[in-house]
Amino acid sequence: MRSSASRPLSVTAKVGGFVLRALLGALFVLALLGTRAEAEVTSVSAAALPAAVPATGGGAVSVNWTVQRLGPRTGGQPSTVRSAQAEIWANGNRIATLPGILQQVSNPPVGTPETLSFSETLMITPAIARQIARASGPALIVREFTDVGTAPGTGVFGSAASGNAALSVSGNAQGALSLRRIELSFEDGSRTGIFNTGAGPRVVAEIAYTSSGILEAEWRAARVEGSGNFERSLGIVRQQLSSAGRGQVRLVSPKLPDEMAGLYEVRLVVRRPVLNFDLPRLRYYISPEEGGRTLDEISLIGPDEGTRVTPATIFAWETAAGAEAYQVEIFPIAADGASAGTRAPASAELLLGAFDLDTPLVAGKLVPGAASRTKLSDISFARLEPGETYRWRVRAIDGGGRVIARSPLRFFKAP
């Protein structure tokens, strides 16, 4: 309970009889002023109907709130019980705020318990439903109710209490197979790569799931840049998965198309069970050759050095003549400020193999040559450790699959 404010009382070191009597009288008055006269919110409970929303489309949820309130110890003016917004929490994190004021004015008898009821309908968007589905358990709808004075200038003078109602995603009942997450990477753990023709790269899928059932999926690859574009099936996956709680399985793709230079995209298309999230995909480039070449320099536009990035941050650069694709690369940075594992470049700035840094990529993205700006994918952004510093750069690739230009390294901070 928030007690009424009182002014601090200063006391002199020497107190005579008259001063002492005056002091005691003042303390008595302050004690009367400090006596609680306002009503008090003691508890909040709630029930959501329905308690689950569809996994794919979200939906409307009706919530009935019950607020227990205790009347003042002495007579007073009516006051308002108020809540400004609802919040959705999952895995201990607030994932959404839903504005909407609930309030009632009342003046319960002195010291008498009172029950107030509130009802509302909340719209759970598909995006919020997907976040709830990825959580390890039900989400919570949370509201805080507070006593607020009705007279101008009174402000908040009563206590506050919070309540919650459970909210889950339907279709994920225990016993039915549910995929929680799919992460794709190449065999070396990177999220992007450049390979020679005939290298036979493969992709690894790390799948987190719950319960038991049949996983049906298909590996598919498409050539998205270059002459003779195509999309083809690489293989069918049909596998029984079973776990008493949370399980994880690792799938390795067949060899990816590598006979022609160009930009490719690979996916694991899940047919069964129905997913509550978007399917990830990887891009890679097939280069017909490697070797030392003098590289042109690409000028970076943004973000600026030292920027703290967000999922909305745009990575932009100046275009390079002859570029058919660009690869955005993100590397960790050593504590002393130097790029971890950086090899000393030759004076002619030669390209040293597929990558000229010993440190593997933390994240990356391949974009068509017509583009000169991009955002990081959600999967790439999720690989960044909060508060850590990273280096990024861009490399340009020509129609023959050769790296023809690259930018200098520039650092940024993850949020």
Side-chain angles (χ1 to χ4, degrees):
M1 180 179 117
R2 298 184 180 89
S3 59
S4 302
S6 60
R7 297 180 180 178
L9 180 66
S10 61
V11 182
T12 59
K14 297 180 180 180
V15 181
F18 175 78
V19 175
L20 178 59
R21 287 193 298 273
L23 175 60
L24 292 174
L27 290 174
F28 177 74
V29 172
L30 287 176
L32 289 177
L33 293 176
T35 300
R36 180 177 59 81
E38 71 277 3
E40 177 183 357
V41 173
T42 57
S43 67
V44 178
S45 60
L49 299 171
V53 296
T56 55
V61 177
S62 296
V63 187
N64 298 320
W65 300 93
T66 302
V67 177
Q68 300 296 332
R69 189 183 190 209
L70 185 64
R73 294 181 181 176
T74 60
Q77 295 182 345
S79 62
T80 302
V81 173
R82 184 177 187 271
S83 176
Q85 62 190 23
E87 297 176 347
I88 308 297
W89 287 72
N91 285 349
N93 298 310
R94 183 175 60 192
I95 63 175
T97 298
L98 306 178
I101 295 175
L102 299 179
Q103 63 181 19
Q104 287 189 44
V105 179
S106 70
N107 187 15
V110 175
T112 302
E114 180 186 35
T115 300
L116 300 179
S117 297
F118 301 82
S119 296
E120 66 175 331
T121 299
L122 300 174
M123 295 304 300
I124 307 300
T125 66
I128 296 175
R130 286 194 294 270
Q131 292 186 70
I132 296 172
R134 289 194 292 266
S136 59
L140 296 176
I141 304 173
V142 179
R143 267 191 183 270
E144 181 182 71
F145 288 84
T146 308
D147 273 294
V148 180
T150 57
T154 56
V156 175
F157 59 79
S159 65
S162 296
N164 61 74
L167 177 66
S168 61
V169 171
S170 61
N172 289 335
Q174 185 68 24
L177 177 64
S178 173
L179 303 190
R180 300 175 52 246
R181 185 181 67 257
I182 300 177
E183 291 188 359
L184 299 183
S185 65
F186 293 101
E187 289 182 295
D188 63 357
S190 65
R191 259 56 177 187
T192 185
I194 302 175
F195 305 96
N196 292 337
T197 54
R202 297 176 187 267
V203 168
V204 175
E206 298 285 351
I207 302 176
Y209 66 93
T210 57
S211 302
S212 304
I214 298 294
L215 168 65
E216 293 182 355
E218 179 184 15
W219 289 102
R220 297 193 67 85
R223 190 167 186 262
V224 296
E225 286 288 333
S227 59
N229 294 349
F230 63 83
E231 182 173 10
R232 70 175 65 152
S233 174
L234 305 180
I236 302 297
V237 176
R238 194 175 191 278
Q239 185 169 334
Q240 173 71 40
L241 303 181
S242 180
S243 174
R246 297 186 183 183
Q248 188 158 336
V249 64
R250 185 175 189 267
L251 303 179
V252 180
S253 75
K255 289 185 179 181
L256 304 181
D258 61 358
E259 62 272 15
M260 295 185 294
L263 182 63
Y264 293 79
E265 184 174 88
V266 59
R267 299 177 294 153
L268 179 63
V269 180
V270 176
R271 309 297 186 193
R272 176 184 174 191
V274 176
L275 298 184
N276 301 322
F277 53 86
D278 296 330
L279 286 168
R281 57 189 68 198
L282 290 184
R283 285 192 167 189
Y284 64 98
Y285 206 89
I286 295 297
S287 173
E289 61 182 74
E290 290 183 347
R293 299 182 69 245
T294 301
L295 303 179
D296 294 331
E297 183 170 306
I298 299 174
S299 297
L300 297 178
I301 297 176
D304 293 331
E305 192 89 357
T307 297
R308 190 173 294 277
V309 303
T310 71
T313 299
I314 299 294
F315 290 77
W317 56 91
E318 298 286 351
T319 58
E324 292 291 331
Y326 294 99
Q327 177 169 283
V328 180
E329 301 172 327
I330 298 176
F331 302 92
I333 191 169
D336 60 2
S339 294
T342 303
R343 296 175 180 164
S347 58
E349 290 293 314
L350 298 181
L351 176 68
L352 303 177
F355 300 101
D356 56 340
L357 301 177
D358 292 328
T359 304
L361 285 170
V362 172
K365 188 173 184 180
L366 281 167
V367 298
S372 60
R373 52 191 287 143
T374 188
K375 296 179 184 178
L376 292 182
S377 67
D378 292 341
I379 293 177
S380 293
F381 202 87
R383 291 180 59 81
L384 304 182
E385 294 292 334
E388 292 296 319
T389 301
Y390 295 90
R391 291 275 182 178
W392 74 283
R393 72 175 182 188
V394 175
R395 295 200 298 170
I397 305 166
D398 68 8
R402 295 179 296 272
V403 176
I404 57 174
R406 73 178 177 203
S407 72
L409 290 162
R410 181 181 287 184
F411 79 89
F412 67 83
K413 293 183 179 295

